[in-house]
Amino acid sequence: MKRKMNFWPAVFIGPFLILFIVFVLAPAVFGVFVSLTDWDLYNAPEFVGFDNFKTILFDTESIYHDQFFNGAKNTLSFVVMAVPACIIIPLALALMLSVKARGHKLFQSLLYLPNLFAISAVMIIWAFQLSLSYGPFKDWFGLDINITSTQPWAWIAIVGVTLWWCAGGNLIIYVAALNTIPKDQIEASQIDGAGSVIRFFRIVLPNIRSQLLFTTVMTTIAQFNVYGQALMLTGGGPNNSTRVLMMYIQQNAFGTGISAAGMAAAMAVLLGLVIMIFSGIQFMISRRAEA
Amino acid sequence: MGKSERVKKIVCFIVLAAVCVVWMFPVLWAVLTSFKSEYEIQSSGFHLIPREWTIDNYMQLVGNDSTPVFQWFVNSLIIAVGHMLLVLVIVSLAAYGFTRLNFKFRSQLFGILLSTMMLPSVINLIPNFKIVDSLGWTNTFLAVIVPGAASVYNLFLVKQFMDGIPKELDESAFVDGANRFQIFWHIILPLSRPVLTVVALFSFTGAWNDFLWPSIVMTDVDKLPITPGLQLLQGQYMTYPGVGTAGAILALVPTFLLYLAAQKSFMESMSLNSGIK
């Protein structure tokens, strides 16, 4: 049995490793390289150093500069609005679910459901709901505003639909976390006569701290990649005020006309760097939890 | 139960019930509207229940060349099942390798894999297009089945689970003369069913719901999966809620059925997620 050749690791780990290298690791390296080139996706990329980054960040004459700053501003605005909404509202709903009133299991299932829906189907349904001609807002509530093409309603709509779509995941995590809070801690505080607000801050929040941190980081990372909502609900409008960075990246690399893939890759690297700060935080936390 | 406890329960019930009605309203409206005639939708203001039920909207999607929604539906099924199977195979094999085989640099390799979870996927988008294109995979199902399959996150989940299976089980089988693959197939895989179910559900729904990537590598209308396909549908039927909602509802049916069948696994998987603190 003492053979030197051990082929089992290759058999078991090989397939995963090959796909990992070809479609995860290589593209990550290649992506950074491409951001340093002038490239149209088909001809050989021409190395230009940091020119793309200089153009994007400092050349006020360039269209890419305008695109990047507008896209970054819009993506960031979206993150700042959507992340708190996707944390606070699911938490409030989870607190109510944890009271375990009649029907709480059914309510939880219903609230989670949109989380599994394809984004394009969600946006078709909501685009009709929010439209003046086909939605309930005008006929039932007399609201005579074209929501998806008027600010600030366009942002409210995008954030609201995102909340509807994403709340379920965080909700489930919070419900599970709330169920693990030791009963005696809560009872003790009741005996002490602490009100529910004090109890929430003194006992509930500290007990679900790690889940709050986890969901905040993961939600932030997810929302920086915002694309489908703005694309299909507002089309980036009105006046590009909801045109997010991913839309510019997609458009520059794969849109009509000659591809500016190098420039798009540079934008992707800049967005990626911001996202990496948050995934770095996530990585540190998980390392500390393991230790 | 104290009086204040009872009041609390009633208040929570009322608030949650109200929220759920609002939450489900758009879906309910979409389902019902997909069965209304276009004439009824355009002429009689906002209402929920169809005055006359019809399947015209769905019929209009059959054999429709510019938006072949039923073709997209079939494409999506093939893609999602294919992706799910590929993920199950490569992830369970690799997870077994990392928990049961001894080889040089095993833990270092796993550590490197874990740390790549930090890499933002947005950087991979453009290069992956080029890689898939060079392989001649654009407009083939391989382009959407294969690239996302090597998920370190799934590997981590399954490895964690397999670590928890007692080593004595496979060691005694090893003594009995079973080889590595037999042990994997007959002992470890059956015991790993709970975690593999979670991975299967999420890789299926992930592939089904994927939007941006397939819209980049599938330019042929007949090859599109349904999720990016619906963007074309929206472009053409922006002013036809009947057909628009019919297409959207079709895209929701499989994930909804899966949820009904495996609700518990979905819920458990969410807490598994947060377990990776």
Side-chain angles (χ1 to χ4, degrees):
Chain A
M1 275 302 283
K2 257 203 152 188
R3 295 281 303 271
K4 270 269 177 263
M5 274 282 285
N6 186 357
F7 61 91
W8 287 114
V11 171
F12 281 99
I13 297 177
F16 185 95
L17 220 49
I18 290 169
L19 291 187
F20 175 81
I21 290 169
V22 175
F23 295 108
V24 182
L25 204 57
V29 177
F30 188 24
V32 175
F33 167 72
V34 167
S35 73
L36 305 172
T37 67
D38 186 9
W39 192 39
D40 64 356
L41 282 179
Y42 293 100
N43 294 307
E46 187 193 334
F47 188 79
V48 294
F50 286 98
D51 279 6
N52 293 336
F53 292 96
K54 276 185 211 149
T55 306
I56 290 169
L57 292 173
F58 305 114
D59 183 359
T60 48
E61 309 272 282
S62 166
I63 183 169
Y64 299 113
H65 174 84
D66 293 347
Q67 286 183 356
F68 179 78
F69 277 89
N70 186 49
K73 186 192 88 200
N74 291 335
T75 295
L76 198 63
S77 313
F78 173 76
V79 170
V80 168
M81 291 183 278
V83 173
C86 291
I87 301 295
I88 293 167
I89 291 174
L91 181 59
L93 292 168
L95 283 167
M96 285 192 276
L97 284 169
S98 69
V99 171
K100 296 204 163 63
R102 189 182 288 265
H104 70 101
K105 287 234 167 78
L106 174 69
F107 292 149
Q108 181 177 325
S109 307
L110 291 177
L111 292 168
Y112 177 65
L113 192 57
N115 211 233
L116 292 172
F117 289 166
I119 186 164
S120 53
V122 167
M123 293 311 141
I124 285 185
I125 293 172
W126 274 100
F128 286 131
Q129 284 286 298
L130 297 171
S131 86
L132 266 183
S133 325
Y134 307 113
F137 290 95
K138 192 178 173 202
D139 283 6
W140 285 9
F141 307 111
L143 201 68
D144 205 358
I145 303 162
N146 205 332
I147 295 171
T148 52
S149 58
T150 319
Q151 289 291 21
W153 296 101
W155 272 130
I156 294 171
I158 291 179
V159 173
V161 173
T162 303
L163 172 69
W164 185 80
W165 187 45
C166 298
N170 289 349
L171 176 84
I172 304 290
I173 292 174
Y174 297 147
V175 169
L178 290 171
N179 281 334
T180 61
I181 298 178
K183 280 267 186 307
D184 51 328
Q185 282 192 27
I186 294 180
E187 276 158 18
S189 77
Q190 278 168 339
I191 293 164
D192 292 347
S196 32
V197 177
I198 293 174
R199 194 157 65 233
F200 176 73
F201 286 103
R202 291 245 179 96
I203 293 170
V204 176
L205 274 191
N207 265 299
I208 62 169
R209 201 181 51 219
S210 64
Q211 285 89 347
L212 272 180
L213 206 57
F214 172 81
T215 49
T216 306
V217 173
M218 295 314 276
T219 307
T220 308
I221 294 171
Q223 307 307 0
F224 265 114
N225 287 302
V226 57
Y227 174 71
Q229 297 95 306
L231 181 74
M232 286 184 68
L233 208 57
T234 61
N239 292 322
N240 292 329
S241 62
T242 60
R243 196 170 290 277
V244 291
L245 203 48
M246 277 305 285
M247 287 171 79
Y248 286 118
I249 293 171
Q250 190 274 347
Q251 188 190 321
N252 283 326
F254 307 106
T256 49
I258 296 169
S259 164
M263 205 58 90
M267 290 185 188
V269 166
L270 289 170
L271 177 60
L273 283 175
V274 176
I275 294 174
M276 256 180 93
I277 295 172
F278 289 90
S279 32
I281 296 172
Q282 175 60 28
F283 191 67
M284 306 279 226
I285 296 166
S286 63
R287 267 295 157 90
R288 199 182 304 162
E290 265 169 44
Chain B
M1 198 191 302
K3 197 173 177 191
S4 70
E5 193 75 0
R6 190 172 304 159
V7 171
K8 205 160 121 191
K9 282 203 170 174
I10 293 171
V11 171
C12 284
F13 174 82
I14 293 171
V15 175
L16 285 169
V19 171
C20 282
V21 168
V22 175
W23 217 252
M24 284 298 110
F25 185 84
V27 182
L28 186 69
W29 171 84
V31 172
L32 293 169
T33 297
S34 72
F35 293 107
K36 293 172 194 162
S37 74
E38 213 56 71
Y39 173 76
E40 181 183 327
I41 297 166
Q42 307 286 354
S43 63
S44 50
F46 188 85
H47 61 289
L48 262 186
I49 316 284
R51 311 238 153 91
E52 230 172 299
W53 293 75
T54 168
I55 56 164
D56 278 2
N57 300 317
Y58 291 92
M59 294 313 288
Q60 230 181 304
L61 296 175
V62 180
N64 186 327
D65 287 339
S66 55
T67 55
V69 178
F70 283 93
Q71 178 67 49
W72 294 341
F73 187 91
V74 174
N75 295 347
S76 277
L77 274 185
I78 298 169
I79 290 162
V81 171
H83 179 72
M84 178 185 84
L85 293 176
L86 181 64
V87 170
L88 285 176
V89 170
I90 65 167
V91 165
S92 58
L93 282 172
Y96 178 88
F98 278 112
T99 51
R100 293 302 201 269
L101 302 178
N102 285 313
F103 53 93
K104 253 191 183 169
F105 306 121
R106 184 180 73 168
S107 60
Q108 288 89 336
L109 183 59
F110 193 70
I112 292 171
L113 287 177
L114 274 189
S115 63
T116 61
M117 272 164 61
M118 268 174 58
L119 295 175
S121 57
V122 56
I123 295 178
N124 294 23
L125 195 67
I126 296 166
N128 257 337
F129 169 79
K130 191 61 194 174
I131 291 168
V132 163
D133 190 52
S134 320
L135 291 166
W137 285 2
T138 37
N139 284 318
T140 72
F141 291 157
L142 286 176
V144 270
I145 290 176
V146 181
S151 147
V152 175
Y153 178 72
N154 284 331
L155 174 66
F156 179 77
L157 277 187
V158 180
K159 180 190 172 283
Q160 285 267 63
F161 192 90
M162 287 184 180
D163 276 333
I165 299 173
K167 293 245 174 12
E168 293 78 37
L169 282 177
D170 31 324
E171 269 156 19
S172 65
F174 201 65
V175 171
D176 291 343
N179 72 29
R180 290 291 184 192
F181 191 75
Q182 287 167 324
I183 294 168
F184 167 73
W185 187 257
H186 292 293
I187 298 175
I188 303 295
L189 266 197
L191 288 172
S192 305
R193 230 173 108 175
V195 72
L196 294 177
T197 310
V198 167
V199 169
L201 288 173
F202 273 82
S203 45
F204 181 94
T205 49
W208 186 276
N209 290 340
D210 200 8
F211 180 63
L212 174 59
W213 173 248
S215 76
I216 290 169
V217 285
M218 306 298 242
T219 47
D220 184 347
V221 172
D222 291 324
K223 295 285 170 51
L224 272 175
I226 194 164
T227 299
L230 287 182
Q231 200 196 336
L232 296 183
L233 187 79
Q234 192 199 31
Q236 291 198 16
Y237 290 93
M238 192 93 83
T239 53
Y240 297 92
V243 180
T245 51
I249 293 304
L250 275 176
L252 303 185
V253 167
T255 44
F256 178 67
L257 291 180
L258 214 55
Y259 181 54
L260 284 188
Q263 214 193 104
K264 242 184 97 196
S265 293
F266 273 107
M267 298 287 171
E268 275 163 12
S269 66
M270 288 311 298
S271 7
L272 257 184
N273 285 345
S274 67
I276 310 182
K277 278 169 271 220

